Amino acid sequence: MTRFNWRVFGIFQKLISRYRGRCSYAKVWLRRLFTNFDSDTCLEPMFWFVDNYTHLLGPFFLFAVTGLTIAVVIIAYWIGLPFWWEKSPKAAVVLVIIGNWLLLNVVFHYIMGVITPPGEPPQMDDGSFAVRKICKKCSLPKAPRTHHCSICNKCVLKMDHHCPWLNNCVGFFNHRYFFLYMAYTTIGCLYLIIFGFEIGFKYLWYEHGERWIESEPLEGQPVKFNLSGHIIPVTHALEYDDDVLLPAKHALPTPPNSAEDGNIYTEGKRHAIIFMTATNVTAALALGALTVWHAMLITRGETSIEALINQEETERLGKENKTYVNPYNFGARKNWKLFLGLVRGRSFWRCVLLPSWHKPEGNGLIFHTVHDERANLSADEWP
Ligand SMILES: [Zn+2]
Ligand SMILES: [Zn+2]
């Protein structure tokens, strides 16, 4: 009985401490919100949410990305291809080839980003790399550029960030896949927007905008003008005539945009065009901004985490009238060559324009810095 009581008491204590922990966190956050409002305050609840729930949402994100991609491709073939085929079969063939090249790169880099582990430090210090410090959370030796991911609950080599859309951490071994996936998806969405523009324009503006034309023929149907001036069918006799006369048989002319010129869109196609517009515009804007942001980081030779650290260091040293130098910034050209792995004779067209499995240079534990004697060597002469 005593043992049972002790166990219940233990569980009770655990619950209270957890509740206290959450409450104190909320209190600290609220206090900071009202006393010292800064960007950290805004980000803290986000970090807390991300830490606690992202791993649960991971499979949902994977499912969403896969589903959206499949839907977009199906609609492109269903509506886009016949539209272009009718205009010019030659143009349609070229568009299909370019579209499939983009799709191949999107699918390849996404799958590789998901299945490639970002890289973990070894379980013990074997002297093969300079241990910066020991991780407080997983007690493993930390190599330079290694950071602990609280969602994966492990240390990640050259960690950039945890990506819920990949349900994986982005680090040393999959950073290139992640970046090229974003870049190709952005280009793919822009491609669909450009070559689907005419279809969207015809439907969204020409057919339902100012020059709205009813695409369903109204033959044999009594009609009236509604308040916005459109011709609509009369469904009840009372609407048609106050004197309850039976509707007469009308033979109205078929509207100019009829099935013969291929401009009739079924309800399903209309929804599909709206879906394509919303999905591609949103993805192009969001992923386009992310791609540009990551391209800037790669140009400067830093990861997302290092961007924050480097900014803080620049500010700290700036107060002491000193200049901070990012040890991993070898100049834009060399940074890109190293990031894309365009060394040892690898070419841009083979390793960037086409899917490539090549691994990044090095092992993710040792990094050259600008302070090294060999830093002036070309990327091909490394390590
Ligand atoms: Zn760790
Ligand atoms: Zn992670």
Side-chain angles (χ1 to χ4, degrees), residues 118 148-154 156 159 161-163 168-170:
H148 185 90
C149 172
S150 45
I151 297 156
C152 300
N153 203 21
K154 61 187 177 191
V156 173
M159 182 181 169
H161 70 290
H162 184 95
C163 178
N168 196 4
C169 244
V170 174

Side-chain angles (χ1 to χ4, degrees), residues 109-134:
H109 290 107
Y110 185 70
I111 293 174
M112 291 307 285
V114 171
I115 64 170
T116 309
E120 285 175 57
Q123 292 301 302
M124 46 193 296
D125 177 15
D126 54 4
S128 63
F129 62 97
V131 179
R132 278 279 170 90
K133 51 188 171 183
I134 301 294

Side-chain angles (χ1 to χ4, degrees), residues 155-346:
C155 272
V156 173
L157 301 181
K158 199 193 168 198
M159 182 181 169
D160 190 88
H161 70 290
H162 184 95
C163 178
W165 298 99
L166 293 179
N167 194 26
N168 196 4
C169 244
V170 174
F172 184 70
F173 288 102
N174 63 353
H175 199 177
R176 183 177 64 92
Y177 296 129
F178 161 77
F179 178 78
L180 288 179
Y181 164 68
M182 282 197 311
Y184 274 111
T185 309
T186 306
I187 297 168
C189 290
L190 290 173
Y191 180 78
L192 289 171
I193 291 169
I194 292 166
F195 293 100
F197 187 80
E198 203 181 330
I199 306 171
F201 175 76
K202 270 194 172 169
Y203 163 65
L204 293 174
W205 187 78
Y206 196 86
E207 284 215 351
H208 273 205
E210 267 177 60
R211 301 178 66 184
W212 187 87
I213 296 159
E214 177 55 72
S215 50
E216 296 296 326
L218 293 168
E219 203 173 339
Q221 175 72 44
V223 293
K224 65 175 184 178
F225 285 102
N226 70 3
L227 291 175
S228 57
H230 293 136
I231 295 172
I232 57 163
V234 170
T235 46
H236 301 290
L238 276 172
E239 282 180 39
Y240 182 70
D241 202 318
D242 285 342
D243 300 327
V244 202
L245 287 172
L246 280 175
K249 289 235 170 190
H250 293 262
L252 294 172
T254 312
N257 272 349
S258 63
E260 288 96 68
D261 57 16
N263 268 339
I264 279 204
Y265 289 104
T266 61
E267 200 58 31
K269 278 189 180 173
R270 287 175 185 172
H271 288 149
I273 293 167
I274 294 171
F275 167 82
M276 281 293 261
T277 313
T279 310
N280 286 305
V281 170
T282 311
L285 287 175
L287 280 174
L290 265 177
T291 309
V292 170
W293 160 247
H294 276 269
M296 272 160 53
L297 296 179
I298 295 162
T299 308
R300 297 200 296 250
E302 54 190 16
T303 61
S304 305
I305 296 173
E306 285 166 357
L308 297 171
I309 297 170
N310 292 350
Q311 195 188 346
E312 276 175 18
E313 281 299 288
T314 307
E315 282 169 16
R316 187 180 67 83
L317 289 175
K319 283 176 192 159
E320 298 170 21
N321 284 331
K322 290 178 188 165
T323 314
Y324 174 73
V325 177
N326 171 15
Y328 308 111
N329 183 3
F330 302 97
R333 193 179 155 79
K334 201 160 169 180
N335 290 341
W336 274 103
K337 270 190 134 187
L338 287 168
F339 178 79
L340 296 171
L342 299 180
V343 290
R344 297 171 209 291
R346 291 195 197 106

Side-chain angles (χ1 to χ4, degrees), residues 135-140 142 147-149 153-156:
C135 177
K136 283 177 199 156
K137 286 165 186 159
C138 60
S139 308
L140 288 179
K142 263 186 170 177
H147 295 279
H148 185 90
C149 172
N153 203 21
K154 61 187 177 191
C155 272
V156 173

